[in-house]
Each structure stands twice: as C-alpha cells, then as structure tokens.
Amino acid sequence: MTVPEPFGARLRRVMDERGPLCVGIDPHASLLAEWGLDDDVAGLERFSRTVVEAVADRVAVMKPQSAFFERFGSRGVAVLERTVQEARAAGTLVVMDAKRGDIGSTMAGYAEAYLHKDAPLFSDALTVSPYLGYGSLGPAVALARESGAGLFVLALTSNPEGPEVQHAVRADGRSVGATMLAHLAAENAGEAPLGSFGAVVGATVGDLAAYDLDINGPLLAPGVGAQGATAADLPKVFGAAVRNVVPNVSRGVLRHGPGVGALRSATERFAEEIRAAVAGS
Ligand SMILES: O=C(O)c1cc(=O)[nH]c(=O)n1[C@@H]1O[C@H](COP(=O)(O)O)[C@@H](O)[C@H]1O
C-alpha cells in the first residue's frame, strides 16, 4: 500500500508555488442576493461553481463553509460534495470548514465523513473544535495521518467571544489557547517540511507575544478583509511564524462577484498584498 503524501508537505509546496492565500467559499444568503441569485440550491450551485472557476487554479487553499450548504439539506450537501471535488481537481487544497468536535467515539464518525479517502466529502483538511478536550480529537488525528490529510484546530479564534474560553488560565498557569498550540507542536514534532496539524489563529487577535506559535504546522488566519484585519497586520501579529500562515479571505473577495474577472482581480490584490507583507517581514 502506498503511503499518501502528508497534508503538511502538500500544503508547503502549493503555498510556495501559489502564495499562501486561502479563499473562503461562504455562500451567505446576503451574498447570493448581491450576486442576483435566488436563495435556493440553484443559486448556491451557481455561486460555488463561479468561485471555484475564478480562483481554484490560482490559490493554495479554498475553504468551503459547510453551514451555508447544510442550510439547504441533502441537496445543499450534494453541492458541497461537487464543490470540493471540482476545487481539488483544479489543484487547490480544500479545507472543509465544519468545526467539528465531539466525544471521541462520535469524533470517529466525523473523521470518517471528511477524512476517509473514500468519503464523498473527503477534504485535504478539516477545521475542528478541541473544546471537548484536545484528546477527544484523537480519532481525527489518527485518520488524518492514515489518509494524508490535516486538521486545523481552533486555538485563538477571530471572534470577540473567543477569549472567554481561550484565554482562561489553567491550574498550571498556561492559558487554554496556549495549551492547544502545545498539543499541536507535539503532534507535528519531527515532521518536515511542515506538520499536518495546524492551528486556527485569527488575524484579528492582536498581540501574540505571549504565545509560542512555533508549532511546526500551518496557522490558518481568518479575519483579513471583512473582519477588519489587513495583510500588513500579518507580520505584526504572527512575527517569525508568518511563513507558516495561511490567511483566509471570504467576504473580502466574494463581495466582488458575480463576475469571474472581478473575483480574480480581488483575489490577486489580496494575494499581492499578502506576498509583499510576508516578504517584507
Ligand atoms: O475556522 C475558521 O475558518 C474560522 C475561525 C475563526 O476564528 N474565525 C473565522 O472567521 N473563521 C471562518 O473564516 C471565515 C471568515 O470569513 P470572512 O470574515 O467573510 O472573511 C468564515 O468562514 C468563518 O467561519
């Protein structure tokens, strides 16, 4: 049996080739309306296809947001399946943003759904929530290793409510967010060129000097664009770890649709700003 190439190695290569930008596929009802589409499955499909056509051959990563597909039930999930497959076929890596997290035995079911190589929704990586305890993610870690897939574990999220949990200080004096980063560093130990177990660290979170971001894994950084962070913030927030940052932009690009050309131009602008900010750091 051939061992699949790990996600971290595939990600490093495509980031080096295409730059690190991740474009989100977030078919909000408001965006469907702005694009002149109906808020139904046909509108969802047109929206997703257009975003894939516009950028999947040029960005390192795309991140479909599962909630906006699940909203339409099984037919929406069928669109999600096709979106993942078409995006991957165009050479981008797909991070399924479903933020799954459950007790270990149920987590195994979620892992099968997204990380088993024969699953209809198989994705290169999955966002997961560790707030039932990092160890509850064990089945997803194990299956990701087997399938050459990756995980992005919510560590320091971009939303203002996150610190209530993530900045809480444990009995050993370490914050919950820092503990998640330490778990990931252990997961990625010895991997080269990059481990497959990433952290989600919002670009909006401000000063991270107190955190050890050197996890030898990717850092998914949502918050650029609509949530107010800019490319120039990335080196300030992430310091030396900026080399491993995958900045996500969803609405900042998507609001330029429905024209493929305008979506591409917006993507290129963000990509160029990010390239310049990272190179100058
Ligand atoms: O895991 C995520 O992707 C995520 C984590 C986080 O801390 N903050 C965050 O905004 N996200 C996701 O990133 C995307 C951000 O979208 P925009 O604000 O439109 O660029 C959404 O799909 C969010 O669900």
Side-chain angles (χ1 to χ4, degrees):
M1 201 181 84
T2 51
V3 180
E5 186 181 18
F7 172 68
R10 294 188 288 126
L11 178 62
R12 176 84 276 160
R13 189 169 56 243
V14 73
M15 284 170 77
D16 290 347
E17 280 167 14
R18 296 182 169 192
L21 179 63
C22 169
V23 170
I25 310 176
D26 294 45
H28 294 261
S30 57
L31 281 172
L32 296 181
E34 278 176 38
W35 284 33
L37 297 170
D38 290 331
D39 188 14
D40 61 13
V41 176
L44 177 76
E45 178 132 45
R46 171 64 76 84
F47 183 97
S48 310
R49 279 232 150 104
T50 303
V51 183
V52 169
E53 182 195 338
V55 307
D57 63 350
R58 57 200 67 206
V59 296
V61 183
M62 295 187 81
K63 185 174 72 68
Q65 171 47 250
S66 180
F68 295 120
F69 295 81
E70 291 173 42
R71 213 158 69 82
F72 296 100
S74 60
R75 294 200 303 142
V77 175
V79 174
L80 180 59
E81 286 176 16
R82 289 195 285 280
T83 302
V84 171
Q85 286 155 13
E86 285 165 16
R88 296 189 76 229
T92 195
L93 299 182
V94 171
V95 175
M96 175 63 73
D97 190 3
K99 296 190 181 63
R100 296 304 192 220
D102 210 319
I103 63 165
S105 49
T106 309
M107 196 61 216
Y110 284 125
E112 291 279 325
Y114 300 104
L115 303 171
H116 190 285
K117 64 176 181 31
D118 298 328
L121 282 168
F122 175 77
S123 302
D124 297 286
L126 172 69
T127 58
V128 291
S129 171
Y131 295 112
L132 273 74
Y134 183 85
S136 65
L137 302 178
V141 171
L143 190 55
R145 284 195 196 285
E146 206 179 299
S147 306
L151 296 178
F152 283 98
V153 175
L154 300 178
L156 296 162
T157 57
S158 69
N159 57 318
E161 302 85 0
E164 164 182 327
V165 173
Q166 297 150 17
H167 292 185
V169 177
R170 295 157 25 113
D172 65 1
R174 203 155 58 168
S175 72
V176 170
T179 305
M180 297 311 154
L181 293 169
H183 281 304
L184 289 164
E187 218 73 86
N188 292 322
E191 297 291 333
L194 190 66
S196 299
F197 298 95
V200 178
V201 178
T204 52
V205 296
D207 185 5
L208 288 170
Y211 291 91
D212 185 0
L213 298 173
D214 186 12
I215 63 166
N216 189 31
L219 300 166
L220 179 66
V224 176
Q227 293 178 52
T230 64
D233 292 330
L234 296 171
K236 290 184 225 154
V237 174
F238 291 95
V242 77
R243 198 180 119 68
N244 294 335
V245 168
V246 179
N248 176 82
V249 180
S250 300
R251 286 167 293 176
V253 166
L254 302 173
R255 68 183 179 81
H256 293 277
V260 164
L263 288 165
R264 280 189 185 145
S265 306
T267 300
E268 287 306 329
R269 277 199 300 279
F270 276 107
E272 191 40 52
E273 283 170 22
I274 289 164
R275 213 172 287 134
V278 173
S281 66

